[in-house]
Amino acid sequence: MHSPEVLATKYKEQGRRITPQRKLLFTLMHNNESHPTAEGLFEEASKRMPGISLRTVYQTLEELSEMGEIQLMHCDGGAVRFDPNVDEHHHAVCAETGELFDVYVDNIDSLRAQLPDGFEVQNVSIVFHGRVAKSAPRTARSARITTKSPARQQTVRAKSAKRTPRRASRGSNT
Amino acid sequence: MHSPEVLATKYKEQGRRITPQRKLLFTLMHNNESHPTAEGLFEEASKRMPGISLRTVYQTLEELSEMGEIQLMHCDGGAVRFDPNVDEHHHAVCAETGELFDVYVDNIDSLRAQLPDGFEVQNVSIVFHGRVAKSAPRTARSARITTKSPARQQTVRAKSAKRTPRRASRGSNT
DNA sequence: ATGCTTATTTGCAAATAATGCGAACTACAT
DNA sequence: ATGTAGTTCGCATTATTTGCAAATAAGCAT
Ligand SMILES: [Mn+2]
Ligand SMILES: [Mn+2]
Ligand SMILES: [Zn+2]
Ligand SMILES: [Zn+2]
């Protein structure tokens, strides 16, 4: 999704108006990696702008989606989650917390699939179900390593240990 | 999912009772590849048993799920779809008709994914979005090739032509 | 076969998630 | 400042699913 500033321009070009509600929602969605629901975003927005309507949140998310600025995701069957990341990417869901993480997959094209005859694939979506390991409670040391570190290549091996379970003890972030 | 007969046995073993409603639903779900919704299954069932309740359909599907006899799928965000196929498999969705097909993928383990640090994958679900090509209206010849023919290996290549767009003019099924 | 016990079915209310609609409001061009 | 059309917002409504309790019936004991 573009920055709030660029979005403002794009909106005006389309004859749409810049309202405080939209500005706020642009800001809340920009670089938001939490994949929020409408309801969740509404709660965030309400903190900064008490009277805002849930209806407006839905409406703004819908138009951002139509403009190709965000993606929507029907994940587990609950509420739709919105994603400002419109690059080709996939997701990992923690069964415990429901958290949703972005996952990049290099070699989707190498999948060997027995597709129905005559089926033309337009795009593939992959969801990794699992859980975030409670990184061994390091006696309250450097509470750095928590959720995700920038891009660690990994070959998928569902229901079987991956390499060694030991944390990569080298390569902390600065 | 087991056959209606085997299910009956399994049910009794668990102190559950065999009712006409359950028998019917077992039959309707057995080998059902349409991935029906509760509502859809209810309509089918209603044909054979006019007074049956939608509530009973939901209830029976829920218990079959708890017993590991069927799987449920939250696909597009509409109603949940139920799947008597509990083998490890994936799905292809036709964007036009909403039809849902089973897809077997051999080499999921070879996916190279950048997963969040410490994420333990339990299982992966892949959905191929696309459409079923209207197999060139063959001047009403042998109307054989329609939806899916038994297992044709195919390497995925989203948004790019696969091989030559021409129909494989050689190798029809018998 | 009859009756008992309790699992099951069923109708209806209620919870969720999302959308339709129109009146009130306001961004912004003139 | 004024006018106009785009927006916001509250509320009704749809769609899907679950909660609940009364009515019903399966399967066992007699
Ligand atoms: Mn749902
Ligand atoms: Mn929904
Ligand atoms: Zn994402
Ligand atoms: Zn399936």
Side-chain angles (χ1 to χ4, degrees):
Chain A
M1 176 176 130
H2 288 106
S3 70
E5 296 73 31
V6 175
L7 276 182
T9 303
K10 199 174 164 187
Y11 260 60
K12 284 179 185 164
E13 283 172 6
Q14 300 187 13
R16 300 179 193 267
R17 296 176 183 175
I18 298 308
T19 66
Q21 288 88 344
R22 283 174 173 169
K23 271 197 279 210
L24 173 56
L25 293 170
F26 292 171
T27 301
L28 291 179
M29 280 303 281
H30 188 55
N31 291 332
N32 185 331
E33 301 200 342
S34 73
H35 302 83
T37 62
E39 192 73 44
L41 191 62
F42 168 67
E43 274 161 30
E44 282 308 303
S46 295
K47 290 177 190 168
R48 296 224 222 166
M49 185 185 285
I52 195 173
S53 164
L54 174 59
R55 193 67 188 80
T56 299
V57 175
Y58 270 110
Q59 227 147 269
T60 303
L61 287 169
E62 187 189 358
E63 74 199 6
L64 283 172
S65 165
E66 282 168 0
M67 294 168 68
E69 293 289 338
I70 62 176
Q71 243 183 344
L72 20 77
M73 249 181 312
H74 305 270
C75 182
D76 50 343
V80 170
R81 299 179 70 158
F82 298 87
D83 192 346
N85 180 353
V86 289
D87 291 344
E88 179 173 324
H89 72 286
H90 302 272
H91 296 94
V93 191
C94 177
E96 229 145 72
T97 66
E99 275 174 302
L100 218 156
F101 306 94
D102 283 347
V103 174
Y104 292 88
V105 178
D106 309 323
N107 58 334
I108 299 186
D109 287 2
S110 68
L111 277 181
R112 286 194 305 275
Q114 296 164 15
L115 290 164
D117 210 46
F119 191 88
E120 288 169 18
V121 176
Q122 290 173 336
N123 69 76
V124 182
S125 58
I126 304 178
V127 178
F128 299 84
H129 300 269
R131 46 196 72 218
V132 180
K134 328 247 172 257
S135 53
R138 304 187 146 288
T139 332
R141 270 274 196 149
S142 57
R144 269 168 238 166
I145 308 164
T146 308
T147 38
K148 101 185 171 201
S149 70
R152 184 168 244 40
Q153 200 83 337
Q154 186 172 115
T155 285
V156 175
R157 201 132 51 215
K159 286 177 175 170
S160 73
K162 286 160 289 300
R163 302 286 176 174
T164 30
R166 293 174 239 148
R167 199 75 55 287
S169 56
R170 161 243 309 264
S172 61
N173 50 5
T174 312
Chain B
M1 174 176 131
H2 288 104
S3 71
E5 296 72 32
V6 175
L7 277 182
T9 303
K10 198 172 165 188
Y11 260 60
K12 285 178 185 165
E13 285 172 4
Q14 300 187 13
R16 300 180 192 267
R17 295 175 185 177
I18 298 307
T19 66
Q21 289 88 344
R22 282 174 173 169
K23 272 198 279 213
L24 174 55
L25 293 170
F26 292 171
T27 302
L28 291 178
M29 280 304 281
H30 188 55
N31 291 332
N32 185 331
E33 301 200 342
S34 73
H35 302 84
T37 62
E39 193 73 45
L41 191 62
F42 168 67
E43 275 161 29
E44 282 309 304
S46 295
K47 290 178 190 167
R48 297 224 221 164
M49 185 184 285
I52 195 173
S53 163
L54 173 60
R55 193 69 188 79
T56 299
V57 175
Y58 270 110
Q59 226 145 264
T60 303
L61 288 169
E62 187 189 358
E63 75 198 5
L64 284 172
S65 165
E66 282 168 1
M67 294 167 69
E69 292 289 338
I70 63 175
Q71 243 184 344
L72 21 78
M73 248 180 314
H74 305 270
C75 182
D76 50 342
V80 170
R81 299 178 71 157
F82 298 87
D83 193 346
N85 180 353
V86 289
D87 292 343
E88 179 172 325
H89 70 287
H90 302 271
H91 296 94
V93 190
C94 177
E96 228 145 74
T97 65
E99 275 174 303
L100 218 156
F101 306 94
D102 282 347
V103 174
Y104 292 88
V105 177
D106 309 323
N107 58 335
I108 300 186
D109 286 3
S110 68
L111 278 181
R112 285 194 305 275
Q114 296 164 16
L115 290 163
D117 210 46
F119 192 89
E120 288 169 17
V121 176
Q122 290 174 336
N123 70 76
V124 181
S125 58
I126 305 178
V127 178
F128 299 84
H129 299 271
R131 45 197 73 218
V132 179
K134 328 246 172 258
S135 54
R138 303 188 146 290
T139 333
R141 270 275 196 146
S142 57
R144 270 169 237 166
I145 308 163
T146 309
T147 37
K148 101 184 172 203
S149 70
R152 182 170 246 35
Q153 199 83 335
Q154 187 174 115
T155 285
V156 174
R157 200 129 54 214
K159 285 178 175 168
S160 72
K162 285 162 287 301
R163 303 284 177 177
T164 29
R166 293 175 239 147
R167 199 72 57 287
S169 55
R170 161 242 310 261
S172 59
N173 47 5
T174 314

